[in-house]
Amino acid sequence: MAVDLHIHTTASDGRLSPSEVVREACRIGLTAIAIADHDTVAGVEEAISAASQQCGLKVIPALELSTDVEDSEVHILGYFVDIKNSRLLDQLAELRRARIDRAKRILDKLRRVGVDIPFEDVASLGKDGFVGRGQIFRAMINAGYVNPAMPHHAFEHYLGKHGVAYEEHYGLTPYDAVDMVLNAGGIPVIAHPARTASDRLVGDLVRHGLMGIEAYYPGYTAEITSHYLDLARTYDLVVTGGSDFHGPTAHQPVGIGGVWVPDDIINNLYLRMKE
Ligand SMILES: [Zn+2]
Ligand SMILES: [Zn+2]
């Protein structure tokens, strides 16, 4: 039994459609996945219906919200959000509009350093008008601006938090994101904290309603994971984990199910949902 609670699809910046993700998860024998696209729940229904027709895999509705804090970018996952909640859907539509503005600002900055990518090239890579740094980076690769031997370096240099063309997200704070998830009946979980969030911020977010922490993640050593398991015990947080799969690319080589996550995680998540 294995699970993967952090997967992106073509509903945001992933390379596989929700049905393709389900097919792959079934093929490798996972028992549960969460579709956690950036700022959208548009891929969830397709995944649920594909799963019921295929191997009966459990699909947990989720999303991932990007927020800014002073010197980093914090991501909040929301598990079991009500994907029909009209307030949530309005908020997400607003975030997507802001993403388009942000992508245009990033492209302006790139142009100033000699990287000329038309907005249409970026938009054509995202489903339903989704534009993020993933699409911008792929457009840069397609146009030959990225040294294929060092894609990670290029991403950080141009688009990373301290990159030359970085632009903040729409002013959403991690506290706003926690509220959005709670208001939609979901469980707010801080994603990949080691990259982005201090333990102090985690504590502050817990006091604001944060309920979980992603302790299993690509590249996390046993020490990092055990640090976050301790933190989870301290704050009574549910523990999650997943591959953050976006597609089989050189930039993100870990496949679906590619991160070991203990089985009981899924039961704990369901228990927390019922509380
Ligand atoms: Zn993330
Ligand atoms: Zn992610």
Side-chain angles (χ1 to χ4, degrees):
M1 202 172 111
V3 304
D4 187 336
L5 300 184
H6 190 157
I7 298 177
H8 295 269
T9 75
T10 48
S12 65
D13 59 352
R15 303 292 282 272
L16 302 186
S17 69
S19 308
E20 289 167 333
V21 163
V22 166
R23 192 174 316 134
E24 175 62 9
C26 288
R27 189 186 70 76
I28 63 175
L30 299 188
T31 53
I33 60 170
I35 300 295
D37 277 306
H38 298 286
D39 302 344
T40 182
V41 289
V44 171
E45 276 184 301
E46 182 186 322
I48 289 173
S49 89
S52 70
Q53 287 158 26
Q54 296 185 33
C55 63
L57 167 82
K58 268 199 191 79
V59 175
I60 294 172
L63 49 62
E64 182 173 27
L65 299 166
S66 308
T67 72
D68 281 299
V69 293
E70 215 161 288
D71 54 358
S72 100
E73 186 182 311
V74 170
H75 292 179
I76 301 290
L77 293 155
Y79 291 103
F80 293 111
V81 285
D82 171 10
I83 62 170
K84 306 255 190 238
N85 182 296
S86 61
R87 183 160 164 214
L88 176 70
L89 295 175
D90 286 348
Q91 287 171 319
L92 294 176
E94 180 58 39
L95 291 180
R96 278 195 298 280
R97 275 193 293 276
R99 259 186 189 280
I100 290 174
D101 292 343
R102 177 186 188 228
K104 289 180 174 166
R105 292 200 307 273
I106 290 175
L107 293 178
D108 285 343
K109 279 192 171 173
L110 283 174
R111 233 162 264 132
R112 273 180 247 146
V113 294
V115 176
D116 192 5
I117 306 283
F119 178 76
E120 293 67 37
D121 287 10
V122 175
S124 70
L125 296 172
K127 196 186 179 196
D128 301 330
F130 181 92
V131 288
R133 285 178 300 167
Q135 279 82 20
I136 293 175
F137 193 59
R138 270 162 61 203
M140 287 172 66
I141 292 171
N142 293 345
Y145 285 110
V146 174
N147 175 355
M150 298 174 77
H152 186 73
H153 177 82
F155 186 90
E156 290 306 322
H157 174 72
Y158 288 108
L159 303 174
K161 179 81 189 183
H162 301 289
V164 293
Y166 185 78
E167 279 283 317
E168 300 257 299
H169 290 265
Y170 29 78
L172 197 69
T173 70
Y175 303 96
D176 299 332
V178 166
D179 285 340
M180 272 177 73
V181 171
L182 289 173
N183 288 333
I187 300 178
V189 171
I190 186 160
H192 43 70
R195 243 174 30 194
T196 53
S198 67
D199 290 357
R200 199 170 118 201
L201 177 66
V202 173
D204 289 345
L205 287 169
V206 170
R207 283 180 281 281
H208 197 82
L210 185 79
M211 294 164 76
I213 192 160
E214 189 174 51
Y216 299 92
Y217 191 77
Y220 279 17
T221 60
E223 288 72 28
I224 295 176
T225 292
S226 109
H227 173 77
Y228 289 116
L229 295 179
D230 286 345
L231 205 61
R233 271 188 291 273
T234 304
Y235 292 123
D236 188 29
L237 296 173
V238 68
V239 170
T240 72
S243 63
D244 207 357
F245 178 78
H246 282 74
T249 64
H251 185 51
Q252 280 189 320
V254 173
I256 292 172
V259 168
W260 181 81
V261 177
D263 304 347
D264 60 349
I265 268 184
I266 198 84
N267 300 331
N268 295 339
L269 199 59
Y270 274 101
L271 282 175
R272 193 59 66 108
M273 191 57 211
K274 292 197 189 95
E275 275 172 15

